[in-house]
């Protein structure tokens, strides 16, 4: 029995992830190309891509209501059936460390981006 994954099984396992990442990239591009336009008084001239905002809200609500509890119950069930407390502690430590490291990486990336492109986050002269 071969331990290598075939291209077909890798594509099948990561198809949803690829679609989700592609949709996020496409949504970013659409929002960049069709921004909301305001006049000097702050009134909306053109809604741009903000008309798609309900779809994003629906997606986030589905994530919080369906996916997050499903992942939590899966992890909780796995930890509950472990026979060794030491192994469960190692897994929990690794999980927390992973969350902290990925959060720190995301924070550093955003700080660098904000330093490179400050005009997008700070108000201009009035």
């Amino acid at each position: 029995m071969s331990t290598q994954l075939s291209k077909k099984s890798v594509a099948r396992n990561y198809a949803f992830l690829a679609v989700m990442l592609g949709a996020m990239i496409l949504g970013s591009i659409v929002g960049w190309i069709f921004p909301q336009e305001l006049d000097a008084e702050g009134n909306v001239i053109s809604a741009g891509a903000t008309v798609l905002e309900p779809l994003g809200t629906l997606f986030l609500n589905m994530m919080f209501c369906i996916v997050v509890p499903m992942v939590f119950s899966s992890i909780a069930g796995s930890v509950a059936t472990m026979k060794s407390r030491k192994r469960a502690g190692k897994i929990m430590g690794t999980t927390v460390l992973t969350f902290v490291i990925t959060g720190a990486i995301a924070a550093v990336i955003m700080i660098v981006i904000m330093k490179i492109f400050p005009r997008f986050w700070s108000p201009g002269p009035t």
Side-chain angles (χ1 to χ4, degrees):
M1 189 161 135
S2 174
T3 58
Q4 292 183 348
L5 296 174
S6 69
K7 289 181 183 180
K8 194 174 191 178
S9 68
V10 170
R12 189 172 5 123
N13 288 336
Y14 292 103
F16 179 73
L17 179 63
V19 168
M20 190 169 70
L21 288 174
M24 288 170 33
I25 291 168
L26 181 65
S28 299
I29 292 169
V30 168
W32 185 35
I33 294 173
F34 301 108
Q36 182 180 35
E37 296 178 24
L38 304 174
D39 62 8
E41 298 170 358
N43 298 320
V44 176
I45 296 172
S46 170
T50 59
V51 297
L52 301 174
E53 185 177 355
L55 293 176
T57 303
L58 178 66
F59 175 75
L60 288 176
N61 287 340
M62 286 175 57
M63 288 293 288
F64 289 130
C65 293
I66 297 171
V67 175
V68 173
M70 189 168 54
V71 169
F72 172 76
S73 61
S74 171
I75 292 172
S78 297
V79 170
T81 58
M82 282 189 185
K83 294 181 177 148
S84 169
R85 289 182 131 193
K86 196 176 207 179
R87 180 170 162 86
K90 275 183 159 179
I91 291 174
M92 291 303 287
T94 303
T95 303
V96 169
L97 186 66
T98 301
F99 288 151
V100 169
I101 290 173
T102 55
I105 291 170
V108 167
I109 289 171
M110 284 310 300
I111 288 171
V112 168
I113 289 173
M114 288 175 59
K115 294 295 182 185
I116 294 172
F117 302 106
R119 70 183 181 99
F120 292 113
W121 285 276
S122 62
T126 55

